[in-house]
Amino acid sequence: MNYLAHLYLSGEDEHVLVGNFIGDYVKGKQFQRYPLQVQSGILLHRQIDWFTDRHALVKDCGNRFRANYGRYAGIVTDVIFDHFLAARWTDYSAYQLRPFAKKVHATLLTNFALLPKRVKLFLPFIIQHKRLESYASLEGIHESLAIMGRRTSLPEEADFALEVLQRDYESIQQEFEAFFAELVDFVEANFEVYIQKPGRADTTKKASE
């Protein structure tokens, strides 16, 4: 999953959120250098990725992008799934997306010293350009993939990705919704994460209660 999904799946613990956000940039046993709750977030990130990478619906969606993205099709799927989470945010969260993003920004800045060097370099860009909120629009997704194509090893095929997304929008949305419901259940059932969904009034309540 991409940034927004990992942040959402962190629940209410800010240190778990930090760990989940930086999970891709902490390799092997390096997680042991961090405070315990940040360690929990890093390990949660790995389990989310494990669940996602093996899920049939995610593989089916990724196959749509394989012709132009090859082995990077899964990364494109992650970004596009963030679009559906952002676009339907109020179906999943009791918070509005803008306040949630601002809280995330504040949390990451408060814990800036803990962030890996690479994360410190791109975090200001994410904040300045409201990247988490931008996923809600097709233009935002296209821009994200275009930037990744210019700055990473991801092929520069943002136009192709957007074309496929627009063509198969309803089918991809259905795949996302079915998959993400299972992922949320997996996280809440196995990692003592409490996600503040619509209709849940008590933010201090634990998932295990």
Side-chain angles (χ1 to χ4, degrees), residues 10-34:
S10 299
E12 297 295 304
D13 190 298
E14 293 187 353
H15 290 99
V16 170
L17 182 146
V18 171
N20 206 343
F21 184 73
I22 66 175
D24 279 335
Y25 304 92
V26 181
K27 305 302 181 183
K29 294 184 179 181
Q30 293 176 356
F31 75 93
Q32 296 174 349
R33 304 173 184 174
Y34 292 87

CSV table of all heavy atoms in Angstrom, one decimal, residues 10-34:
chain,number,residue,atom,x,y,z
A,10,SER,N,-2.6,2.9,10.7
A,10,SER,CA,-1.8,3.0,11.9
A,10,SER,C,-2.7,3.2,13.1
A,10,SER,O,-2.2,3.1,14.3
A,10,SER,CB,-0.8,4.2,11.8
A,10,SER,OG,0.1,4.0,10.7
A,11,GLY,N,-4.0,3.6,12.9
A,11,GLY,CA,-4.8,3.8,14.1
A,11,GLY,C,-4.5,5.1,14.8
A,11,GLY,O,-4.1,6.1,14.2
A,12,GLU,N,-4.6,5.1,16.1
A,12,GLU,CA,-4.6,6.3,16.9
A,12,GLU,C,-3.2,6.6,17.6
A,12,GLU,O,-3.1,7.6,18.2
A,12,GLU,CB,-5.7,6.2,18.0
A,12,GLU,CG,-7.1,6.2,17.5
A,12,GLU,CD,-7.5,7.4,16.7
A,12,GLU,OE1,-7.4,8.5,17.3
A,12,GLU,OE2,-7.8,7.3,15.6
A,13,ASP,N,-2.3,5.6,17.5
A,13,ASP,CA,-1.0,5.8,18.2
A,13,ASP,C,-0.1,6.6,17.2
A,13,ASP,O,0.3,6.1,16.2
A,13,ASP,CB,-0.4,4.4,18.5
A,13,ASP,CG,0.8,4.5,19.4
A,13,ASP,OD1,1.8,5.1,19.0
A,13,ASP,OD2,0.7,4.1,20.6
A,14,GLU,N,0.4,7.7,17.7
A,14,GLU,CA,1.3,8.5,16.8
A,14,GLU,C,2.6,7.9,16.5
A,14,GLU,O,3.2,8.1,15.4
A,14,GLU,CB,1.5,9.9,17.5
A,14,GLU,CG,0.2,10.7,17.5
A,14,GLU,CD,0.4,12.1,18.0
A,14,GLU,OE1,1.5,12.5,18.4
A,14,GLU,OE2,-0.5,12.9,18.0
A,15,HIS,N,3.2,7.2,17.5
A,15,HIS,CA,4.5,6.5,17.2
A,15,HIS,C,4.3,5.3,16.3
A,15,HIS,O,5.2,5.1,15.5
A,15,HIS,CB,5.1,6.1,18.6
A,15,HIS,CG,5.6,7.3,19.4
A,15,HIS,ND1,4.8,7.8,20.4
A,15,HIS,CD2,6.6,8.1,19.3
A,15,HIS,CE1,5.4,8.8,20.9
A,15,HIS,NE2,6.6,9.0,20.3
A,16,VAL,N,3.2,4.6,16.4
A,16,VAL,CA,3.0,3.6,15.4
A,16,VAL,C,2.9,4.2,14.0
A,16,VAL,O,3.4,3.7,13.0
A,16,VAL,CB,1.7,2.8,15.8
A,16,VAL,CG1,1.3,1.9,14.6
A,16,VAL,CG2,1.9,2.0,17.0
A,17,LEU,N,2.2,5.4,13.9
A,17,LEU,CA,2.1,6.1,12.7
A,17,LEU,C,3.4,6.4,12.1
A,17,LEU,O,3.7,6.2,10.9
A,17,LEU,CB,1.2,7.3,12.9
A,17,LEU,CG,0.9,8.1,11.6
A,17,LEU,CD1,-0.5,8.8,11.7
A,17,LEU,CD2,2.0,9.2,11.4
A,18,VAL,N,4.3,6.9,12.9
A,18,VAL,CA,5.7,7.3,12.4
A,18,VAL,C,6.4,6.0,11.9
A,18,VAL,O,6.9,6.1,10.8
A,18,VAL,CB,6.5,7.9,13.6
A,18,VAL,CG1,8.0,8.1,13.1
A,18,VAL,CG2,5.9,9.3,14.0
A,19,GLY,N,6.3,4.9,12.6
A,19,GLY,CA,6.9,3.7,12.2
A,19,GLY,C,6.3,3.2,10.9
A,19,GLY,O,7.1,2.7,10.0
A,20,ASN,N,5.0,3.2,10.8
A,20,ASN,CA,4.4,2.8,9.6
A,20,ASN,C,4.7,3.6,8.3
A,20,ASN,O,4.9,3.1,7.2
A,20,ASN,CB,2.8,2.8,9.8
A,20,ASN,CG,2.1,1.8,8.9
A,20,ASN,OD1,2.7,1.2,8.0
A,20,ASN,ND2,0.9,1.5,9.3
A,21,PHE,N,4.9,4.9,8.6
A,21,PHE,CA,5.2,5.8,7.5
A,21,PHE,C,6.7,5.6,7.0
A,21,PHE,O,6.9,5.7,5.8
A,21,PHE,CB,5.1,7.3,8.0
A,21,PHE,CG,5.3,8.3,6.9
A,21,PHE,CD1,4.4,8.5,5.9
A,21,PHE,CD2,6.5,9.1,6.9
A,21,PHE,CE1,4.6,9.4,4.9
A,21,PHE,CE2,6.7,10.0,5.9
A,21,PHE,CZ,5.8,10.2,4.9
A,22,ILE,N,7.6,5.3,7.9
A,22,ILE,CA,9.0,5.1,7.5
A,22,ILE,C,9.4,3.7,7.1
A,22,ILE,O,10.5,3.4,6.8
A,22,ILE,CB,9.9,5.7,8.5
A,22,ILE,CG1,9.9,4.8,9.8
A,22,ILE,CG2,9.6,7.1,8.8
A,22,ILE,CD1,10.9,5.2,10.9
A,23,GLY,N,8.4,2.8,7.2
A,23,GLY,CA,8.7,1.4,7.1
A,23,GLY,C,9.5,1.0,5.9
A,23,GLY,O,10.4,0.1,6.0
A,24,ASP,N,9.3,1.6,4.7
A,24,ASP,CA,10.0,1.2,3.5
A,24,ASP,C,11.5,1.6,3.6
A,24,ASP,O,12.3,1.1,2.8
A,24,ASP,CB,9.4,1.9,2.3
A,24,ASP,CG,8.2,1.1,1.8
A,24,ASP,OD1,8.1,-0.1,2.0
A,24,ASP,OD2,7.3,1.8,1.1
A,25,TYR,N,11.8,2.5,4.5
A,25,TYR,CA,13.2,3.0,4.6
A,25,TYR,C,14.0,2.5,5.7
A,25,TYR,O,15.1,3.0,6.0
A,25,TYR,CB,13.1,4.5,4.6
A,25,TYR,CG,12.3,5.1,3.5
A,25,TYR,CD1,11.0,5.3,3.6
A,25,TYR,CD2,12.9,5.3,2.2
A,25,TYR,CE1,10.2,5.8,2.5
A,25,TYR,CE2,12.2,5.8,1.1
A,25,TYR,CZ,10.8,6.0,1.3
A,25,TYR,OH,10.1,6.5,0.2
A,26,VAL,N,13.4,1.5,6.4
A,26,VAL,CA,14.1,0.8,7.5
A,26,VAL,C,14.3,-0.6,7.2
A,26,VAL,O,13.3,-1.4,7.1
A,26,VAL,CB,13.3,1.0,8.8
A,26,VAL,CG1,14.1,0.3,10.0
A,26,VAL,CG2,13.1,2.5,9.1
A,27,LYS,N,15.5,-1.1,6.9
A,27,LYS,CA,15.7,-2.4,6.4
A,27,LYS,C,16.2,-3.4,7.5
A,27,LYS,O,16.8,-3.0,8.5
A,27,LYS,CB,16.8,-2.3,5.3
A,27,LYS,CG,16.5,-1.4,4.2
A,27,LYS,CD,15.2,-1.7,3.5
A,27,LYS,CE,14.9,-0.7,2.3
A,27,LYS,NZ,13.5,-1.0,1.7
A,28,GLY,N,15.8,-4.6,7.3
A,28,GLY,CA,16.3,-5.7,8.2
A,28,GLY,C,16.1,-5.4,9.6
A,28,GLY,O,15.0,-5.0,10.0
A,29,LYS,N,17.1,-5.6,10.4
A,29,LYS,CA,17.0,-5.4,11.9
A,29,LYS,C,17.2,-4.0,12.3
A,29,LYS,O,17.3,-3.7,13.5
A,29,LYS,CB,18.0,-6.3,12.6
A,29,LYS,CG,17.7,-7.8,12.4
A,29,LYS,CD,18.7,-8.7,13.2
A,29,LYS,CE,18.3,-10.1,13.0
A,29,LYS,NZ,19.3,-11.0,13.8
A,30,GLN,N,17.3,-3.0,11.4
A,30,GLN,CA,17.5,-1.6,11.7
A,30,GLN,C,16.3,-1.1,12.6
A,30,GLN,O,16.5,-0.1,13.3
A,30,GLN,CB,17.6,-0.8,10.5
A,30,GLN,CG,18.9,-1.0,9.7
A,30,GLN,CD,18.9,-0.2,8.4
A,30,GLN,OE1,18.0,0.5,8.1
A,30,GLN,NE2,20.0,-0.3,7.7
A,31,PHE,N,15.2,-1.8,12.5
A,31,PHE,CA,14.0,-1.3,13.3
A,31,PHE,C,14.3,-1.3,14.8
A,31,PHE,O,13.7,-0.6,15.5
A,31,PHE,CB,12.8,-2.2,12.9
A,31,PHE,CG,12.8,-3.5,13.5
A,31,PHE,CD1,12.1,-3.8,14.8
A,31,PHE,CD2,13.4,-4.6,12.9
A,31,PHE,CE1,12.1,-5.0,15.3
A,31,PHE,CE2,13.4,-5.9,13.5
A,31,PHE,CZ,12.8,-6.1,14.7
A,32,GLN,N,15.2,-2.2,15.2
A,32,GLN,CA,15.5,-2.3,16.6
A,32,GLN,C,16.1,-1.1,17.2
A,32,GLN,O,16.2,-0.9,18.4
A,32,GLN,CB,16.4,-3.5,16.9
A,32,GLN,CG,15.7,-4.8,16.5
A,32,GLN,CD,16.6,-6.0,16.6
A,32,GLN,OE1,17.8,-5.9,16.7
A,32,GLN,NE2,16.1,-7.2,16.5
A,33,ARG,N,16.6,-0.1,16.4
A,33,ARG,CA,17.2,1.1,16.9
A,33,ARG,C,16.1,2.1,17.3
A,33,ARG,O,16.5,3.1,17.9
A,33,ARG,CB,18.0,1.7,15.7
A,33,ARG,CG,19.1,0.9,15.1
A,33,ARG,CD,19.7,1.5,13.9
A,33,ARG,NE,20.7,0.7,13.3
A,33,ARG,CZ,21.3,1.0,12.1
A,33,ARG,NH1,21.0,2.1,11.5
A,33,ARG,NH2,22.2,0.1,11.6
A,34,TYR,N,14.9,1.9,17.0
A,34,TYR,CA,13.8,2.8,17.3
A,34,TYR,C,13.1,2.5,18.6
A,34,TYR,O,13.1,1.4,19.1
A,34,TYR,CB,12.8,2.8,16.1
A,34,TYR,CG,13.4,3.4,14.9
A,34,TYR,CD1,14.1,2.6,14.0
A,34,TYR,CD2,13.3,4.7,14.5
A,34,TYR,CE1,14.7,3.1,12.8
A,34,TYR,CE2,13.9,5.3,13.4
A,34,TYR,CZ,14.5,4.4,12.5
A,34,TYR,OH,15.1,4.9,11.4
